Amino acid sequence: GITTEKMRSGIPFELAVKQYNDWCGDDTVTMTWSDSDLYAIMENEEHLLTDGLRFKIGKYLDLQRFFQGEMRIKGIDMTNQISLAHAAEMAGISTENYDLHTAGDDSLVCACLLKKCYNRERFEALIRDTSDPEFYKRLRFKPYAISDIKDSLIDRKQLEFRCDKCGGKSKRITPFKYRNRWFSADFLCKECANKFNGRVSFKKTYDNVIVRRKICEAKRNGENNDMQPVPKTV
């Protein structure tokens, strides 16, 4: 809903950054509703600013994360991120007199939310220091599924499976195939001759590799298996 006329009535980005830095001072916690705004800030800084001018964001907090954490403490579990409007509704804050999705009014709604759920100890625990070189490296990192079974990040022990019937050792009897972010192969239990399909996925995050495993019923002879073969099996 932001029109060209509204854009022209604003001020240049460089001036906005200077005014923000003069206003916020040196010991301020800068907050946004989710850290997605930081991506826009970084992109605009890189394209529009010169001479090393940047937003003065030292201490930073994701207000959306803080609010959802407070809701979980109250027994309201939310697995997905929620909008600012939804959060205001949950907190009993009327947005009737606010023009949501405009920076000024969104900031005022955020302030109301912070007043409603503020806890100093838990608030300070979520403050991050953007001067830490790892902060923006972590922010820019995009988690990805590991699709190469020869990748050095894969723990080879995670490619082994025990029988789901008796817990005995099993032997892989088909090559691993890859589909929908899962490696899959058939296994045969050495103890009870149970045949099953073992599946494992690997997701690389900034800090570690998240592993998911599951056991399924092995396909019978003649059933179509549309998993894509791994170029070289292990």
PDB file of all heavy atoms in Angstrom, residues 48 72 135 145 211:
ATOM      1  N   LEU A  48      23.169   1.792  -0.850  1.00  0.00           N
ATOM      2  CA  LEU A  48      22.838   3.222  -0.800  1.00  0.00           C
ATOM      3  C   LEU A  48      23.764   4.066   0.064  1.00  0.00           C
ATOM      4  O   LEU A  48      23.713   5.292  -0.009  1.00  0.00           O
ATOM      5  CB  LEU A  48      21.394   3.405  -0.300  1.00  0.00           C
ATOM      6  CG  LEU A  48      20.302   2.723  -1.129  1.00  0.00           C
ATOM      7  CD1 LEU A  48      18.941   2.898  -0.459  1.00  0.00           C
ATOM      8  CD2 LEU A  48      20.254   3.304  -2.543  1.00  0.00           C
ATOM      9  N   ARG A  72       4.639 -18.798  25.307  1.00  0.00           N
ATOM     10  CA  ARG A  72       4.866 -20.207  25.650  1.00  0.00           C
ATOM     11  C   ARG A  72       4.874 -20.399  27.164  1.00  0.00           C
ATOM     12  O   ARG A  72       4.384 -21.411  27.669  1.00  0.00           O
ATOM     13  CB  ARG A  72       6.185 -20.698  25.039  1.00  0.00           C
ATOM     14  CG  ARG A  72       6.155 -20.799  23.519  1.00  0.00           C
ATOM     15  CD  ARG A  72       7.406 -21.489  22.990  1.00  0.00           C
ATOM     16  NE  ARG A  72       7.468 -21.399  21.535  1.00  0.00           N
ATOM     17  CZ  ARG A  72       8.183 -20.522  20.878  1.00  0.00           C
ATOM     18  NH1 ARG A  72       8.915 -19.641  21.542  1.00  0.00           N
ATOM     19  NH2 ARG A  72       8.195 -20.494  19.561  1.00  0.00           N
ATOM     20  N   PHE A 135      27.740 -12.590  14.419  1.00  0.00           N
ATOM     21  CA  PHE A 135      26.326 -12.229  14.359  1.00  0.00           C
ATOM     22  C   PHE A 135      25.817 -12.199  12.921  1.00  0.00           C
ATOM     23  O   PHE A 135      24.823 -12.843  12.584  1.00  0.00           O
ATOM     24  CB  PHE A 135      26.077 -10.876  15.028  1.00  0.00           C
ATOM     25  CG  PHE A 135      24.644 -10.416  14.945  1.00  0.00           C
ATOM     26  CD1 PHE A 135      23.705 -10.858  15.860  1.00  0.00           C
ATOM     27  CD2 PHE A 135      24.216  -9.568  13.924  1.00  0.00           C
ATOM     28  CE1 PHE A 135      22.382 -10.455  15.784  1.00  0.00           C
ATOM     29  CE2 PHE A 135      22.901  -9.162  13.836  1.00  0.00           C
ATOM     30  CZ  PHE A 135      21.977  -9.604  14.767  1.00  0.00           C
ATOM     31  N   ALA A 145      19.752 -28.687   3.048  1.00  0.00           N
ATOM     32  CA  ALA A 145      19.758 -30.143   3.160  1.00  0.00           C
ATOM     33  C   ALA A 145      20.999 -30.688   2.462  1.00  0.00           C
ATOM     34  O   ALA A 145      21.332 -30.280   1.349  1.00  0.00           O
ATOM     35  CB  ALA A 145      18.499 -30.721   2.521  1.00  0.00           C
ATOM     36  N   VAL A 211      20.037 -34.166  12.346  1.00  0.00           N
ATOM     37  CA  VAL A 211      19.818 -35.488  11.757  1.00  0.00           C
ATOM     38  C   VAL A 211      18.428 -35.985  12.119  1.00  0.00           C
ATOM     39  O   VAL A 211      18.019 -35.926  13.279  1.00  0.00           O
ATOM     40  CB  VAL A 211      20.872 -36.500  12.261  1.00  0.00           C
ATOM     41  CG1 VAL A 211      20.646 -37.869  11.610  1.00  0.00           C
ATOM     42  CG2 VAL A 211      22.277 -35.993  11.969  1.00  0.00           C
TER      43      VAL A 211
END
